Amino acid sequence: MKQLRPIKQLIKGMPSTDGDGVQLTRIIGTPYLDMLDPFLLLDAFGSDKPQDYIGGFPSHPHRGFETVTYMLAGKMRHKDNAGNEGVIEAGGVQWMTAGKGIIHSEMPEQEQGLLAGFQLWVNLPASHKMTEPRYQENSKQEIPVEVREGCKISVIAGTTKNNTQGVVNNKFVDPNYWHVSLTKNSALSELIAEDHNAFIYVIEGSLSVVAELDSKIKSVTKGELAIFGSGNEIELLADEDVEFLVISGRPLNEPIERAGPFVMNTKEEIHQAFADYRSGQF
Ligand code: MN
């Protein structure tokens, strides 16, 4: 039975700084929204002022989860201690499974101009926190785009109702990660599995959410994250030309201990992560 998901909460990000002075907006991972299982963090960065991004994210470790970088503009170079290196350009994605541990840097590959994009942290289940590190990296050209009337969906991960399959695969939380553009008055109607936590983040413009009558929140505008309530479909109408991310995933429902770049299930595992990092075992 079709049940449209209402919006249950609207979240605005907080200005934040990370890496070597990079200015960003933290949207998940704040006092307002600590996490949305399995998503631990969402940062949006976007500036044409070099001083806001030039410091980048010098060498740092991760263990226990995945980092997903999706670029809207500009270029970032990544490099890690396993010998992987590459440049992510506008429209490209890097889905990194840090697993048992990686040390990497993420640096702007430009000295001027606009740098914009997102970083999402996706938790790993306890059973796979110590898995071997893995990269899935794809350029804009490699990401499938589904075109409908007034609607374009770049399918980074997951599968649309018309069976367009994302370029990234992830068996842990079965995520959807779509970048959607709608022209004014067009609609997106999609299926989102009932057991997923789901949200949208509006990059540009504004949209209305079609849902059950009791939903108080009807519209979502630029810079807002909207968390969906229960149901199995979403229906969104463009009030004007609008661009947004649709992200969902199966919650893990496991205990979480987080400390900076490490996200594990117990305090002991966090202590172990620091000890392993210090003793050069990453
Ligand atoms: Mn990182």
Side-chain angles (χ1 to χ4, degrees):
M1 205 180 72
K2 173 174 169 171
Q3 198 199 348
L4 287 172
R5 285 176 176 251
I7 294 297
K8 66 174 186 191
Q9 201 181 352
L10 275 185
I11 300 284
K12 278 187 184 160
M14 286 176 68
S16 185
T17 306
D18 210 336
D20 186 6
V22 178
Q23 303 298 309
L24 47 82
T25 303
R26 183 145 295 163
I27 308 153
I28 300 178
T30 73
Y32 303 114
L33 182 59
D34 177 40
M35 66 175 292
L36 184 63
D37 193 5
F39 306 110
L40 301 161
L41 176 143
L42 177 66
D43 283 342
F45 49 94
S47 175
D48 56 9
K49 299 189 198 83
Q51 68 267 28
D52 287 348
Y53 61 71
I54 205 76
F57 303 87
S59 209
H60 60 277
H62 292 296
R63 172 180 280 184
F65 61 102
E66 305 183 282
T67 69
V68 182
T69 306
Y70 177 53
M71 296 298 292
L72 297 176
K75 299 178 184 181
M76 290 280 270
R77 175 176 294 272
H78 70 89
K79 203 173 178 174
D80 72 30
N81 65 334
N84 301 296
E85 184 169 2
V87 175
I88 320 168
E89 302 194 18
V93 65
Q94 184 203 61
W95 198 294
M96 182 184 85
T97 307
K100 68 181 186 185
I102 195 97
I103 301 171
H104 76 160
S105 60
E106 302 156 284
M107 303 298 288
E109 184 79 350
Q110 62 190 49
E111 287 170 1
Q112 55 185 11
L114 179 64
L115 184 82
F118 296 95
Q119 185 161 107
L120 177 73
W121 288 11
V122 185
N123 204 4
L124 282 168
S127 58
H128 286 81
K129 281 190 175 290
M130 296 299 278
T131 190
E132 288 297 321
R134 178 189 179 204
Y135 285 93
Q136 298 179 75
E137 195 170 318
N138 295 98
S139 66
K140 182 187 171 105
Q141 289 71 29
E142 294 169 323
I143 296 174
V145 177
E146 185 178 316
V147 179
R148 303 177 190 169
E149 191 165 351
C151 171
K152 219 177 70 179
I153 310 174
S154 296
V155 187
I156 295 159
T159 306
T160 67
K161 67 178 182 186
N162 296 340
N163 214 28
T164 302
Q165 298 198 0
V167 69
V168 168
N169 62 69
N170 176 310
K171 61 185 190 306
F172 305 120
V173 298
D174 202 20
N176 289 307
Y177 193 133
W178 306 333
H179 179 176
V180 182
S181 306
L182 291 178
T183 56
K184 185 177 177 176
N185 297 326
S186 304
L188 174 77
S189 168
E190 261 299 339
L191 308 173
I192 303 277
E194 207 157 358
D195 62 345
H196 276 206
N197 282 331
F199 67 88
I200 54 172
Y201 176 79
V202 175
I203 298 167
E204 201 62 66
S206 68
L207 55 79
S208 295
V209 179
V210 183
E212 311 312 319
L213 291 171
D214 62 350
S215 172
K216 290 191 197 78
I217 303 162
K218 300 264 187 257
S219 75
V220 190
T221 61
K222 177 177 176 167
E224 290 179 330
L225 180 148
I227 305 172
F228 286 104
S230 57
N232 52 17
E233 295 195 22
I234 58 171
E235 201 168 315
L236 308 171
L237 295 175
D239 300 328
E240 53 186 320
D241 288 0
V242 62
E243 234 181 282
F244 55 98
L245 301 178
V246 177
I247 296 177
S248 77
R250 202 178 332 105
L252 295 170
N253 297 311
E254 291 178 351
I256 288 174
E257 286 291 338
R258 59 200 284 179
F262 306 131
V263 183
M264 303 301 289
N265 300 105
T266 67
K267 283 201 169 70
E268 290 68 32
E269 290 166 344
I270 289 289
H271 294 151
Q272 193 61 49
F274 279 105
D276 290 350
Y277 176 53
R278 280 194 212 104
S279 63
Q281 290 181 50
F282 271 44

mmCIF file of all heavy atoms in Angstrom, residues 162-191:
data_model
loop_
_atom_site.group_PDB
_atom_site.id
_atom_site.type_symbol
_atom_site.label_atom_id
_atom_site.label_comp_id
_atom_site.label_asym_id
_atom_site.label_seq_id
_atom_site.Cartn_x
_atom_site.Cartn_y
_atom_site.Cartn_z
ATOM 1 N N ASN A 162 12.444 3.252 -11.645
ATOM 2 C CA ASN A 162 12.558 2.833 -13.050
ATOM 3 C C ASN A 162 13.783 1.953 -13.279
ATOM 4 O O ASN A 162 14.185 1.724 -14.403
ATOM 5 C CB ASN A 162 12.622 4.044 -13.977
ATOM 6 C CG ASN A 162 11.344 4.854 -13.916
ATOM 7 O OD1 ASN A 162 10.305 4.353 -13.502
ATOM 8 N ND2 ASN A 162 11.430 6.108 -14.327
ATOM 9 N N ASN A 163 14.393 1.560 -12.163
ATOM 10 C CA ASN A 163 15.491 0.605 -12.190
ATOM 11 C C ASN A 163 16.825 1.146 -12.715
ATOM 12 O O ASN A 163 17.638 0.407 -13.252
ATOM 13 C CB ASN A 163 15.086 -0.654 -12.959
ATOM 14 C CG ASN A 163 15.737 -1.890 -12.372
ATOM 15 O OD1 ASN A 163 16.034 -1.917 -11.169
ATOM 16 N ND2 ASN A 163 15.996 -2.876 -13.192
ATOM 17 N N THR A 164 17.034 2.452 -12.581
ATOM 18 C CA THR A 164 18.368 2.987 -12.848
ATOM 19 C C THR A 164 19.216 2.683 -11.622
ATOM 20 O O THR A 164 18.840 3.030 -10.503
ATOM 21 C CB THR A 164 18.326 4.510 -13.088
ATOM 22 O OG1 THR A 164 17.450 4.766 -14.187
ATOM 23 C CG2 THR A 164 19.704 5.063 -13.389
ATOM 24 N N GLN A 165 20.354 2.010 -11.857
ATOM 25 C CA GLN A 165 21.169 1.569 -10.725
ATOM 26 C C GLN A 165 22.384 2.443 -10.531
ATOM 27 O O GLN A 165 23.074 2.785 -11.487
ATOM 28 C CB GLN A 165 21.598 0.119 -10.948
ATOM 29 C CG GLN A 165 20.378 -0.765 -11.009
ATOM 30 C CD GLN A 165 20.687 -2.220 -10.791
ATOM 31 O OE1 GLN A 165 21.835 -2.597 -10.587
ATOM 32 N NE2 GLN A 165 19.651 -3.036 -10.813
ATOM 33 N N GLY A 166 22.630 2.784 -9.296
ATOM 34 C CA GLY A 166 23.757 3.641 -8.948
ATOM 35 C C GLY A 166 25.081 2.964 -9.239
ATOM 36 O O GLY A 166 25.180 1.742 -9.323
ATOM 37 N N VAL A 167 26.103 3.797 -9.378
ATOM 38 C CA VAL A 167 27.417 3.301 -9.737
ATOM 39 C C VAL A 167 28.133 2.707 -8.513
ATOM 40 O O VAL A 167 28.974 1.824 -8.643
ATOM 41 C CB VAL A 167 28.214 4.442 -10.420
ATOM 42 C CG1 VAL A 167 28.574 5.537 -9.423
ATOM 43 C CG2 VAL A 167 29.435 3.936 -11.116
ATOM 44 N N VAL A 168 27.755 3.187 -7.333
ATOM 45 C CA VAL A 168 28.383 2.704 -6.102
ATOM 46 C C VAL A 168 27.559 1.558 -5.544
ATOM 47 O O VAL A 168 26.337 1.616 -5.551
ATOM 48 C CB VAL A 168 28.447 3.847 -5.055
ATOM 49 C CG1 VAL A 168 28.818 3.316 -3.682
ATOM 50 C CG2 VAL A 168 29.419 4.934 -5.503
ATOM 51 N N ASN A 169 28.224 0.502 -5.077
ATOM 52 C CA ASN A 169 27.445 -0.503 -4.362
ATOM 53 C C ASN A 169 27.903 -0.631 -2.919
ATOM 54 O O ASN A 169 29.078 -0.454 -2.604
ATOM 55 C CB ASN A 169 27.440 -1.842 -5.098
ATOM 56 C CG ASN A 169 28.823 -2.412 -5.221
ATOM 57 O OD1 ASN A 169 29.422 -2.813 -4.221
ATOM 58 N ND2 ASN A 169 29.354 -2.429 -6.424
ATOM 59 N N ASN A 170 26.955 -0.873 -2.075
ATOM 60 C CA ASN A 170 27.196 -0.939 -0.643
ATOM 61 C C ASN A 170 26.193 -1.905 -0.057
ATOM 62 O O ASN A 170 24.999 -1.631 -0.035
ATOM 63 C CB ASN A 170 27.022 0.465 -0.032
ATOM 64 C CG ASN A 170 27.158 0.462 1.476
ATOM 65 O OD1 ASN A 170 26.520 -0.343 2.151
ATOM 66 N ND2 ASN A 170 27.965 1.341 2.008
ATOM 67 N N LYS A 171 26.695 -3.064 0.355
ATOM 68 C CA LYS A 171 25.785 -4.091 0.854
ATOM 69 C C LYS A 171 25.478 -3.926 2.337
ATOM 70 O O LYS A 171 24.646 -4.621 2.876
ATOM 71 C CB LYS A 171 26.369 -5.483 0.577
ATOM 72 C CG LYS A 171 27.705 -5.743 1.257
ATOM 73 C CD LYS A 171 28.256 -7.108 0.825
ATOM 74 C CE LYS A 171 29.463 -7.564 1.619
ATOM 75 N NZ LYS A 171 30.597 -6.641 1.691
ATOM 76 N N PHE A 172 26.183 -2.990 2.987
ATOM 77 C CA PHE A 172 26.025 -2.867 4.442
ATOM 78 C C PHE A 172 24.714 -2.189 4.841
ATOM 79 O O PHE A 172 24.028 -2.663 5.723
ATOM 80 C CB PHE A 172 27.207 -2.104 5.038
ATOM 81 C CG PHE A 172 28.541 -2.710 4.688
ATOM 82 C CD1 PHE A 172 29.487 -1.978 3.982
ATOM 83 C CD2 PHE A 172 28.843 -4.016 5.058
ATOM 84 C CE1 PHE A 172 30.719 -2.530 3.664
ATOM 85 C CE2 PHE A 172 30.067 -4.581 4.741
ATOM 86 C CZ PHE A 172 31.011 -3.839 4.041
ATOM 87 N N VAL A 173 24.393 -1.056 4.219
ATOM 88 C CA VAL A 173 23.170 -0.335 4.600
ATOM 89 C C VAL A 173 22.282 -0.049 3.391
ATOM 90 O O VAL A 173 21.292 0.672 3.498
ATOM 91 C CB VAL A 173 23.478 0.984 5.351
ATOM 92 C CG1 VAL A 173 24.215 0.686 6.646
ATOM 93 C CG2 VAL A 173 24.266 1.965 4.483
ATOM 94 N N ASP A 174 22.679 -0.592 2.230
ATOM 95 C CA ASP A 174 21.825 -0.519 1.045
ATOM 96 C C ASP A 174 21.403 0.930 0.719
ATOM 97 O O ASP A 174 20.215 1.194 0.519
ATOM 98 C CB ASP A 174 20.584 -1.384 1.341
ATOM 99 C CG ASP A 174 19.901 -1.834 0.077
ATOM 100 O OD1 ASP A 174 20.547 -1.819 -0.984
ATOM 101 O OD2 ASP A 174 18.700 -2.178 0.163
ATOM 102 N N PRO A 175 22.363 1.872 0.664
ATOM 103 C CA PRO A 175 21.976 3.292 0.600
ATOM 104 C C PRO A 175 21.448 3.736 -0.762
ATOM 105 O O PRO A 175 21.804 3.171 -1.799
ATOM 106 C CB PRO A 175 23.304 4.001 0.877
ATOM 107 C CG PRO A 175 24.343 3.069 0.349
ATOM 108 C CD PRO A 175 23.817 1.681 0.635
ATOM 109 N N ASN A 176 20.620 4.765 -0.732
ATOM 110 C CA ASN A 176 20.322 5.567 -1.916
ATOM 111 C C ASN A 176 21.060 6.889 -1.755
ATOM 112 O O ASN A 176 21.070 7.469 -0.658
ATOM 113 C CB ASN A 176 18.824 5.878 -2.026
ATOM 114 C CG ASN A 176 18.009 4.652 -2.381
ATOM 115 O OD1 ASN A 176 18.305 3.970 -3.349
ATOM 116 N ND2 ASN A 176 16.988 4.381 -1.585
ATOM 117 N N TYR A 177 21.689 7.361 -2.831
ATOM 118 C CA TYR A 177 22.316 8.692 -2.836
ATOM 119 C C TYR A 177 22.052 9.249 -4.217
ATOM 120 O O TYR A 177 22.664 8.825 -5.194
ATOM 121 C CB TYR A 177 23.821 8.564 -2.542
ATOM 122 C CG TYR A 177 24.551 9.866 -2.219
ATOM 123 C CD1 TYR A 177 25.407 9.947 -1.123
ATOM 124 C CD2 TYR A 177 24.414 10.998 -3.014
ATOM 125 C CE1 TYR A 177 26.092 11.123 -0.815
ATOM 126 C CE2 TYR A 177 25.094 12.180 -2.713
ATOM 127 C CZ TYR A 177 25.929 12.230 -1.626
ATOM 128 O OH TYR A 177 26.604 13.392 -1.333
ATOM 129 N N TRP A 178 21.087 10.152 -4.304
ATOM 130 C CA TRP A 178 20.676 10.714 -5.601
ATOM 131 C C TRP A 178 20.831 12.227 -5.584
ATOM 132 O O TRP A 178 20.498 12.885 -4.583
ATOM 133 C CB TRP A 178 19.196 10.408 -5.902
ATOM 134 C CG TRP A 178 18.810 8.969 -5.837
ATOM 135 C CD1 TRP A 178 19.617 7.888 -6.041
ATOM 136 C CD2 TRP A 178 17.501 8.442 -5.531
ATOM 137 N NE1 TRP A 178 18.893 6.726 -5.895
ATOM 138 C CE2 TRP A 178 17.603 7.036 -5.583
ATOM 139 C CE3 TRP A 178 16.265 9.015 -5.242
ATOM 140 C CZ2 TRP A 178 16.515 6.195 -5.340
ATOM 141 C CZ3 TRP A 178 15.172 8.197 -5.005
ATOM 142 C CH2 TRP A 178 15.302 6.797 -5.055
ATOM 143 N N HIS A 179 21.292 12.777 -6.696
ATOM 144 C CA HIS A 179 21.325 14.236 -6.884
ATOM 145 C C HIS A 179 20.240 14.553 -7.912
ATOM 146 O O HIS A 179 20.345 14.149 -9.065
ATOM 147 C CB HIS A 179 22.721 14.652 -7.372
ATOM 148 C CG HIS A 179 22.863 16.116 -7.611
ATOM 149 N ND1 HIS A 179 24.064 16.698 -7.970
ATOM 150 C CD2 HIS A 179 21.979 17.136 -7.540
ATOM 151 C CE1 HIS A 179 23.908 18.011 -8.106
ATOM 152 N NE2 HIS A 179 22.644 18.295 -7.867
ATOM 153 N N VAL A 180 19.199 15.263 -7.466
ATOM 154 C CA VAL A 180 18.008 15.478 -8.301
ATOM 155 C C VAL A 180 17.881 16.942 -8.705
ATOM 156 O O VAL A 180 18.092 17.841 -7.883
ATOM 157 C CB VAL A 180 16.727 15.063 -7.524
ATOM 158 C CG1 VAL A 180 15.489 15.226 -8.398
ATOM 159 C CG2 VAL A 180 16.840 13.642 -7.000
ATOM 160 N N SER A 181 17.557 17.176 -9.975
ATOM 161 C CA SER A 181 17.201 18.528 -10.438
ATOM 162 C C SER A 181 15.780 18.484 -10.967
ATOM 163 O O SER A 181 15.441 17.608 -11.769
ATOM 164 C CB SER A 181 18.101 18.978 -11.598
ATOM 165 O OG SER A 181 19.445 18.864 -11.250
ATOM 166 N N LEU A 182 14.958 19.426 -10.516
ATOM 167 C CA LEU A 182 13.589 19.538 -11.024
ATOM 168 C C LEU A 182 13.396 20.938 -11.563
ATOM 169 O O LEU A 182 13.834 21.912 -10.942
ATOM 170 C CB LEU A 182 12.572 19.340 -9.888
ATOM 171 C CG LEU A 182 12.405 17.972 -9.234
ATOM 172 C CD1 LEU A 182 11.365 18.076 -8.109
ATOM 173 C CD2 LEU A 182 11.978 16.935 -10.251
ATOM 174 N N THR A 183 12.714 21.059 -12.709
ATOM 175 C CA THR A 183 12.352 22.394 -13.172
ATOM 176 C C THR A 183 11.052 22.790 -12.483
ATOM 177 O O THR A 183 10.287 21.932 -12.013
ATOM 178 C CB THR A 183 12.169 22.427 -14.698
ATOM 179 O OG1 THR A 183 11.194 21.456 -15.049
ATOM 180 C CG2 THR A 183 13.484 22.096 -15.413
ATOM 181 N N LYS A 184 10.811 24.093 -12.405
ATOM 182 C CA LYS A 184 9.637 24.628 -11.716
ATOM 183 C C LYS A 184 8.367 23.864 -12.101
ATOM 184 O O LYS A 184 8.134 23.613 -13.284
ATOM 185 C CB LYS A 184 9.491 26.115 -12.071
ATOM 186 C CG LYS A 184 8.387 26.796 -11.313
ATOM 187 C CD LYS A 184 8.302 28.275 -11.628
ATOM 188 C CE LYS A 184 7.115 28.860 -10.880
ATOM 189 N NZ LYS A 184 7.022 30.320 -11.047
ATOM 190 N N ASN A 185 7.577 23.501 -11.094
ATOM 191 C CA ASN A 185 6.298 22.792 -11.241
ATOM 192 C C ASN A 185 6.423 21.308 -11.627
ATOM 193 O O ASN A 185 5.405 20.645 -11.824
ATOM 194 C CB ASN A 185 5.358 23.493 -12.230
ATOM 195 C CG ASN A 185 4.970 24.871 -11.749
ATOM 196 O OD1 ASN A 185 4.830 25.093 -10.540
ATOM 197 N ND2 ASN A 185 4.828 25.808 -12.662
ATOM 198 N N SER A 186 7.646 20.814 -11.727
ATOM 199 C CA SER A 186 7.810 19.376 -11.977
ATOM 200 C C SER A 186 7.799 18.635 -10.644
ATOM 201 O O SER A 186 7.920 19.245 -9.585
ATOM 202 C CB SER A 186 9.131 19.089 -12.679
ATOM 203 O OG SER A 186 9.214 19.838 -13.858
ATOM 204 N N ALA A 187 7.675 17.323 -10.721
ATOM 205 C CA ALA A 187 7.579 16.526 -9.494
ATOM 206 C C ALA A 187 8.533 15.344 -9.521
ATOM 207 O O ALA A 187 8.912 14.855 -10.583
ATOM 208 C CB ALA A 187 6.153 16.020 -9.317
ATOM 209 N N LEU A 188 8.906 14.922 -8.330
ATOM 210 C CA LEU A 188 9.638 13.657 -8.178
ATOM 211 C C LEU A 188 8.785 12.752 -7.310
ATOM 212 O O LEU A 188 8.385 13.107 -6.199
ATOM 213 C CB LEU A 188 10.988 13.861 -7.476
ATOM 214 C CG LEU A 188 11.720 12.540 -7.166
ATOM 215 C CD1 LEU A 188 12.370 11.967 -8.431
ATOM 216 C CD2 LEU A 188 12.778 12.726 -6.080
ATOM 217 N N SER A 189 8.481 11.575 -7.849
ATOM 218 C CA SER A 189 7.742 10.598 -7.079
ATOM 219 C C SER A 189 8.613 9.346 -7.056
ATOM 220 O O SER A 189 8.995 8.832 -8.106
ATOM 221 C CB SER A 189 6.408 10.351 -7.790
ATOM 222 O OG SER A 189 5.798 9.227 -7.241
ATOM 223 N N GLU A 190 8.953 8.902 -5.868
ATOM 224 C CA GLU A 190 9.902 7.800 -5.759
ATOM 225 C C GLU A 190 9.558 6.858 -4.613
ATOM 226 O O GLU A 190 8.817 7.219 -3.698
ATOM 227 C CB GLU A 190 11.326 8.331 -5.558
ATOM 228 C CG GLU A 190 12.162 8.362 -6.835
ATOM 229 C CD GLU A 190 12.356 6.988 -7.470
ATOM 230 O OE1 GLU A 190 12.216 5.965 -6.781
ATOM 231 O OE2 GLU A 190 12.625 6.932 -8.676
ATOM 232 N N LEU A 191 10.128 5.677 -4.700
ATOM 233 C CA LEU A 191 9.970 4.683 -3.638
ATOM 234 C C LEU A 191 11.193 4.732 -2.736
ATOM 235 O O LEU A 191 12.316 4.770 -3.229
ATOM 236 C CB LEU A 191 9.877 3.275 -4.245
ATOM 237 C CG LEU A 191 8.846 3.080 -5.351
ATOM 238 C CD1 LEU A 191 8.991 1.683 -5.958
ATOM 239 C CD2 LEU A 191 7.445 3.273 -4.765
#
